[in-house]
Amino acid sequence: MKNIFKYTLIGSMVALSACQDDYLEQAVDQRTQLNTVEKVSELLVTAYPQADYATFTEAMSDLAEDKGINSVVTEDVNRDPYFFRDVESKAQGSADNYWNASYAAIAAANHALETIANAPNPNDYSAQKGEALVARAYAHFMLVTLYSKVYDPATAASDPGIPYVTAPEKVVLGKYERKTVAYVYEQIEKDLTEGLPLIVNTAYRVPKYHFNTAAAHAFATRFYLFKQDYQKVVEHANQVFPGGNIGDNLRPWVNVYSNLTANEGLAIYTQATENANLLLVETPSNWARNNARYRYGLSTNLVNQLFRQPNVTGDTWVYPLYTQGADNWLILKFREHFVRTDLNATTGVPYTIFPLFTAEEVLFNRAEANLFLGNVEATRADLNLYASTRIADYNRSTHNISNAKLANYYGTGSNVRLGMLYTILDFKAAEFVQQGMRWFDILRHRIPVTHYTIDRQPFQLSPEDPRRLLQLPQEVTLAGVERNPR
């Protein structure tokens, strides 16, 4: 059995047995009177969390290993998550930073919605209202996913959620309730379903940096996958691109990406002109600078498992591999954009552009939803489609993911659906490596994680371990919010 990751499945699984364009926009001064559509649109630039989650979610996942002292960078935002410890820092890449940035984004959305509601001509702001509602839903979804228990229909009505904030703060120390995961999901769905039909792509100067209609439908596929409403996942996935045509919009790794120079590869991955990118955010972050050089990250061992050993198709992926010193591996995805404090300064702030939603995620979400709906052949078709864009000299008959290949590779016997699920998770692990996405599958499918030190001391995170829930910042207690148990 040559599977990339040997899963211990719990919960839902058991049932299956050039130059980078800079689109950083200037936010409106909050002291400015919001009395025009243009000013509200400018405010909504800040309605997206200006923080990265990849730094801590990648380190917590099973796509990170201790590479030892040869790695150049050891920081608490990378080290503590690897050992499943709460990070005390509020620096870039920390969980506290992401929490605060998410509620700052929510505050911007609420400020915009209040302005629209009080405007003499609210219908003129319809597109802005749609963006604000979906952006508010997204930020809350990310918070409840990272800081609360994963959605479970049996327990969501009692599991503590996160505060769902729907009005601008008017006092210094307001009081908030966590309520329940079920309540938060209800509010997310309400905002999403109300806001999505109002979105107008032509309202944006650069649509890929806003919740355009494709990105909103992509968000819906992720939300409903977590909510286990699989039919809605498929419905929204088929609305991302005209005619449900996801395949023509996947990244062309075989024909384009694999033939680029290093500089060209770095320039293209997060471009707004890339069809696969549905929503981008540019945020202060050291990730582009450090992700390969962090001590706890993508190791040679993981590179071999992900990219050098044949996968279930019988072949390997075409991704070019690069190093920044011994054992410091990366796929060319991120390039730093350094903003100087002024024209003559040598100091400034590093920025990284992150794809928040992509065509690849939509394809995988549709494939998994169809699997749980019993549409095995639809799942197989999507996985074969994906493989055709990642394998050089792809041959449909040779590389087809057959039932026999699933049984031999994963040892799942006649349980085709289980083998398909393993395939989805393995394909996603390779596709989204160094993007922090693997953690969400670990949460959703209750996959245990074991990390080892360089001298093989184990640190385990079981499906029931309370540390799977990120800790809320200490100061939330001032607002009457209870922190997660430890």
Side-chain angles (χ1 to χ4, degrees), residues 376-377 380 400-408 412-413 416 420:
V376 175
E377 294 312 310
R380 194 193 311 271
N400 175 58
I401 303 171
S402 66
N403 291 352
K405 285 183 178 178
L406 293 171
N408 291 333
T412 50
V416 175
M420 286 285 190

Side-chain angles (χ1 to χ4, degrees), residues 51 166 343 365 379 410:
T166 58
L343 290 177
N365 290 350
T379 298
Y410 290 111

Side-chain angles (χ1 to χ4, degrees), residues 108-250:
N110 285 336
H111 193 183
L113 288 167
E114 182 183 58
T115 298
I116 295 167
N118 295 329
N121 52 340
N123 290 337
D124 292 350
Y125 295 80
S126 178
Q128 288 69 33
K129 180 179 180 181
E131 180 184 8
L133 287 169
V134 177
R136 182 170 74 181
Y138 169 74
H140 281 106
F141 171 77
M142 293 299 290
L143 288 166
V144 75
T145 300
L146 293 169
Y147 298 87
S148 296
K149 287 185 178 180
V150 71
Y151 182 87
D152 180 343
T155 63
S158 57
D159 291 334
I162 47 92
Y164 204 97
V165 182
T166 58
E169 290 185 325
K170 300 296 178 68
V171 296
V172 175
L173 289 176
K175 295 298 180 181
Y176 295 95
E177 296 181 64
R178 292 190 68 168
K179 294 193 175 179
T180 66
V181 169
Y183 173 82
V184 174
Y185 266 64
E186 289 168 4
Q187 297 307 304
I188 292 170
E189 188 167 16
K190 179 177 181 294
D191 279 350
L192 177 59
T193 55
E194 181 183 352
L196 199 157
L198 301 178
I199 290 174
V200 178
N201 292 347
T202 55
Y204 306 132
R205 182 171 65 88
V206 186
K208 295 289 182 74
Y209 280 79
H210 300 267
F211 263 117
N212 54 78
T213 53
H217 283 296
F219 168 37
T221 69
R222 187 188 297 179
F223 170 72
Y224 285 115
L225 193 64
F226 269 83
K227 194 171 184 284
Q228 302 172 33
D229 191 337
Y230 301 116
Q231 188 58 49
K232 287 187 178 178
V233 175
V234 176
E235 291 171 1
H236 282 282
N238 289 335
Q239 296 181 73
V240 172
F241 297 105
N245 182 15
I246 303 174
D248 288 345
N249 295 283
L250 299 175

Side-chain angles (χ1 to χ4, degrees), residues 424-436:
I424 293 171
L425 294 173
D426 280 355
F427 282 15
K428 290 178 73 176
E431 174 65 31
F432 298 120
V433 69
Q434 296 183 318
Q435 291 182 237

Side-chain angles (χ1 to χ4, degrees), residues 168-465:
E169 290 185 325
K170 300 296 178 68
V171 296
V172 175
L173 289 176
K175 295 298 180 181
Y176 295 95
E177 296 181 64
R178 292 190 68 168
K179 294 193 175 179
T180 66
V181 169
Y183 173 82
V184 174
Y185 266 64
E186 289 168 4
Q187 297 307 304
I188 292 170
E189 188 167 16
K190 179 177 181 294
D191 279 350
L192 177 59
T193 55
E194 181 183 352
L196 199 157
L198 301 178
I199 290 174
V200 178
N201 292 347
T202 55
Y204 306 132
R205 182 171 65 88
V206 186
K208 295 289 182 74
Y209 280 79
H210 300 267
F211 263 117
N212 54 78
T213 53
H217 283 296
F219 168 37
T221 69
R222 187 188 297 179
F223 170 72
Y224 285 115
L225 193 64
F226 269 83
K227 194 171 184 284
Q228 302 172 33
D229 191 337
Y230 301 116
Q231 188 58 49
K232 287 187 178 178
V233 175
V234 176
E235 291 171 1
H236 282 282
N238 289 335
Q239 296 181 73
V240 172
F241 297 105
N245 182 15
I246 303 174
D248 288 345
N249 295 283
L250 299 175
R251 295 181 195 277
W253 276 100
V254 173
N255 298 328
V256 179
Y257 278 44
S258 63
N259 299 317
L260 300 176
T261 66
N263 285 335
E264 289 170 340
L266 285 172
I268 195 173
Y269 194 87
T270 54
Q271 280 187 342
T273 53
E274 170 57 68
N275 288 349
N277 290 328
L278 305 178
L279 180 63
L280 300 167
V281 65
E282 187 172 28
T283 177
S285 171
N286 290 317
W287 187 245
R289 178 184 301 184
N290 292 335
N291 74 87
R293 303 184 303 156
Y294 277 135
R295 173 168 176 168
Y296 306 98
L298 185 63
S299 65
T300 301
N301 177 53
L302 288 168
V303 165
N304 290 339
Q305 293 181 55
L306 289 166
F307 303 113
R308 290 173 170 166
Q309 296 176 6
N311 54 57
V312 70
T313 68
D315 213 327
T316 57
W317 301 132
V318 76
Y319 301 108
L321 299 167
Y322 292 82
T323 61
Q324 293 181 342
D327 214 21
N328 295 327
W329 295 90
L330 77 160
I331 306 293
L332 298 179
K333 296 181 177 181
F334 304 105
R335 187 169 72 171
E336 181 178 301
H337 173 57
F338 191 77
V339 179
R340 299 179 186 277
T341 51
D342 61 58
L343 290 177
N344 298 316
T346 57
T347 59
V349 179
Y351 282 79
T352 301
I353 296 174
F354 290 91
L356 298 184
F357 291 100
T358 65
E360 286 79 14
E361 183 190 352
V362 174
L363 184 77
F364 287 130
N365 290 350
R366 184 173 72 178
E368 186 173 336
N370 271 318
L371 185 63
F372 278 92
L373 289 169
N375 304 325
V376 175
E377 294 312 310
T379 298
R380 194 193 311 271
D382 277 344
L383 293 176
N384 282 326
L385 173 62
Y386 172 80
S388 72
T389 67
R390 300 301 190 271
I391 295 175
D393 300 320
Y394 180 83
N395 182 290
R396 183 176 300 179
S397 60
T398 303
H399 295 105
N400 175 58
I401 303 171
S402 66
N403 291 352
K405 285 183 178 178
L406 293 171
N408 291 333
Y409 191 83
Y410 290 111
T412 50
S414 61
N415 195 335
V416 175
R417 294 173 68 191
L418 188 60
M420 286 285 190
L421 181 59
Y422 286 155
T423 302
I424 293 171
L425 294 173
D426 280 355
F427 282 15
K428 290 178 73 176
E431 174 65 31
F432 298 120
V433 69
Q434 296 183 318
Q435 291 182 237
M437 292 287 289
R438 172 69 174 175
W439 181 246
F440 299 102
D441 283 340
I442 288 171
L443 291 175
R444 193 161 48 84
H445 288 305
R446 295 168 53 79
I447 300 170
V449 179
T450 300
H451 286 164
Y452 294 90
T453 61
I454 195 67
D455 58 0
R456 303 304 293 171
Q457 179 184 357
F459 289 80
Q460 297 178 326
L461 191 73
S462 71
E464 301 302 329
D465 196 309

